Amino acid sequence: MKKRILSGMRPTGRLHLGNYVGALENWVKLQGEYDNFHLIADWHMLTTNLDTSGIQQNTRDMVIDWIAAGIDPEESPIFVQSKIKEHAELFLIFSMLVTVPRLERNPTVKEQARDLGVEANMIFGHLGYPVLQAADILLYNAHLVPVGEDQLPHVELTREVARKFNSTYDNVFIVPKGKVTEFSRLPGLDGNKMSKSLGNTILLSDSSDEIQQKVMRAITDPQKIRRGDPGRPEVCNVFTYHRKFNSAETETIEADCKSGALGCVDCKRNMAAKLAPQLEVFREKRSYFSQHPGEIDDIIADGTERARKVAQQTMAAVYTAMNMG
Ligand code: TRP
């Protein structure tokens, strides 16, 4: 039996490079070696955004990006959290196993609350975000959770909850491990973390022209003003993109930037030219599915049926262990 992966994202629409190199690329790489389960975390989306008007289209756009990037939905079920009520049920049970001060220490939740300006006014559901995530992961008895670095506190809580349940009742849950990539916190064009709300993204679906325009606007080393000025690749966002998407030239670029031989304009142009073809390969599948949205809906419905079976088995084991079966 293969070990299992559970990972997911909130359905916020088209994905950006940060989503890709932080998580999705890893999902695709590990497919085959593991049984992948991929969650559309729509309940989680509500914790930071109550506006559901675009949720159907955003879900399709996200799933199209998953499939375009190489997730095979036949092999790896793609499913909707809110369609599998067992997520809510297990969340409720887990909420008895976690203390409020433990949740108040979660750095990722705190950072989100700070960004939203709700630190002193957090909703109950947001505080419980990582508990719901623990339910997502443990329902499928996942061994591995490939995520961006910001998700590691949630995986840590998941491990604690699994141990707590196992020691209180019976050994039902595998204690899963998180897995991050080398570029699990990719900078955006402005140097902040790449994020939709900051408007500093490159989307997987951007055309070559859009990529070129965006890369040309990226912030580099602020002390390097003209060609000839020695640059500091270690503080340059475009250099980070070179390390990830143009590894063959990384050393030359580093040396030429430092010496001043390479100017930022040429360096950016080169970056865009190397990146665009790597995203171009996703285009064909995306354009097919964009024209056949019904197929995406079918893929999700099918994945949800398959995932639900696993979730139901786990809940039966949970209630048996709790003497409530
Ligand atoms: N919190 C994750 C994010 O914001 C989404 C998510 C929900 C998730 N449930 C999960 C990720 C379970 C991994 C495993 O990206």
Side-chain angles (χ1 to χ4, degrees):
M1 273 267 287
K2 282 185 199 167
K3 290 185 175 174
R4 198 172 280 155
I5 279 176
L6 184 287
S7 198
M9 294 183 193
R10 285 170 287 160
T12 53
R14 294 178 173 201
L15 299 183
H16 56 66
L17 276 188
N19 302 131
Y20 179 65
V21 306
L24 178 57
E25 188 186 24
N26 234 353
W27 304 1
V28 175
K29 274 194 198 136
L30 296 165
Q31 189 174 238
E33 186 187 339
Y34 287 83
D35 264 337
N36 286 23
F37 278 63
H38 297 305
L39 169 83
I40 300 161
D42 55 351
W43 278 334
H44 273 115
M45 195 202 76
L46 296 176
T47 62
T48 51
N49 181 7
L50 290 173
D51 179 2
T52 50
S53 54
I55 195 165
Q56 304 287 351
Q57 192 54 40
N58 285 340
T59 297
R60 284 191 202 105
D61 285 341
M62 178 177 80
V63 170
I64 288 174
D65 275 338
W66 288 1
I67 294 172
I71 294 298
D72 172 0
E74 299 263 321
E75 210 179 309
S76 311
I78 292 174
F79 57 98
V80 185
Q81 189 178 42
S82 66
K83 293 275 189 311
I84 301 179
K85 309 303 180 204
E86 284 76 7
H87 288 257
E89 221 177 319
L90 191 56
F91 165 68
L92 188 149
I93 293 170
F94 285 170
S95 72
M96 312 299 168
L97 305 178
V98 186
T99 67
V100 172
R102 174 68 184 85
L103 293 175
E104 284 173 339
R105 284 201 304 272
N106 186 297
T108 300
V109 172
K110 276 203 219 160
E111 188 185 316
Q112 278 175 334
R114 219 177 301 126
D115 291 349
L116 294 166
V118 297
E119 273 170 297
N121 241 337
M122 202 193 287
I123 53 167
F124 174 57
H126 196 177
L127 186 66
Y129 186 114
V131 185
L132 180 57
Q133 187 154 337
D136 298 339
I137 295 167
L138 297 181
L139 256 185
Y140 300 93
N141 260 315
H143 292 83
L144 201 67
V145 190
V147 282
E149 181 193 61
D150 62 327
Q151 299 296 308
L152 287 178
H154 304 340
V155 177
E156 191 48 46
L157 184 88
T158 302
R159 293 164 57 82
E160 289 173 28
V161 170
R163 287 196 204 99
K164 178 83 183 172
F165 185 97
N166 289 347
S167 65
T168 308
Y169 298 109
D170 202 356
N171 255 322
V172 171
F173 295 112
I174 290 167
V175 180
K177 289 199 173 71
K179 185 176 172 73
V180 293
T181 59
E182 188 192 346
F183 294 92
S184 69
R185 206 178 173 98
L186 193 74
L189 297 162
D190 60 359
N192 294 311
K193 187 189 175 196
M194 191 177 283
S195 153
K196 243 194 192 152
S197 55
L198 298 175
N200 62 4
T201 62
I202 296 174
L203 299 180
L204 296 188
S205 49
D206 280 342
S207 67
S208 301
D209 283 351
E210 284 165 325
I211 292 169
Q212 158 111 9
Q213 280 166 20
K214 286 183 172 179
V215 172
M216 296 318 283
R217 283 202 320 264
I219 292 174
T220 56
D221 175 1
Q223 288 176 19
K224 183 168 165 67
I225 298 169
R226 48 184 86 74
R227 176 194 291 271
D229 292 348
R232 296 169 301 165
E234 67 278 8
V235 303
C236 176
N237 306 314
V238 175
F239 185 68
T240 304
Y241 302 161
H242 275 295
R243 283 203 296 130
K244 170 64 196 164
F245 295 101
N246 185 20
S247 53
E249 285 182 305
T250 303
E251 278 172 32
T252 330
I253 290 168
E254 184 171 16
D256 291 351
C257 173
K258 280 184 175 161
S259 74
L262 177 65
C264 292
V265 172
D266 286 344
C267 180
K268 287 174 169 178
R269 224 176 251 140
N270 181 19
M271 173 71 261
K274 295 289 164 19
L275 177 59
Q278 295 178 54
L279 302 185
E280 188 60 37
V281 299
F282 302 159
R283 194 166 307 278
E284 207 177 306
K285 269 195 206 155
R286 178 179 305 99
S287 81
Y288 174 83
F289 283 111
S290 304
Q291 285 153 29
H292 301 84
E295 287 189 31
I296 292 292
D297 295 348
D298 290 347
I299 282 169
I300 296 172
D302 171 63
T304 301
E305 289 309 312
R306 285 151 67 198
R308 183 181 292 119
K309 293 207 177 83
V310 179
Q312 285 173 341
Q313 281 169 6
T314 305
M315 286 315 292
V318 163
Y319 285 125
T320 303
M322 296 176 77
N323 195 28
M324 289 166 77

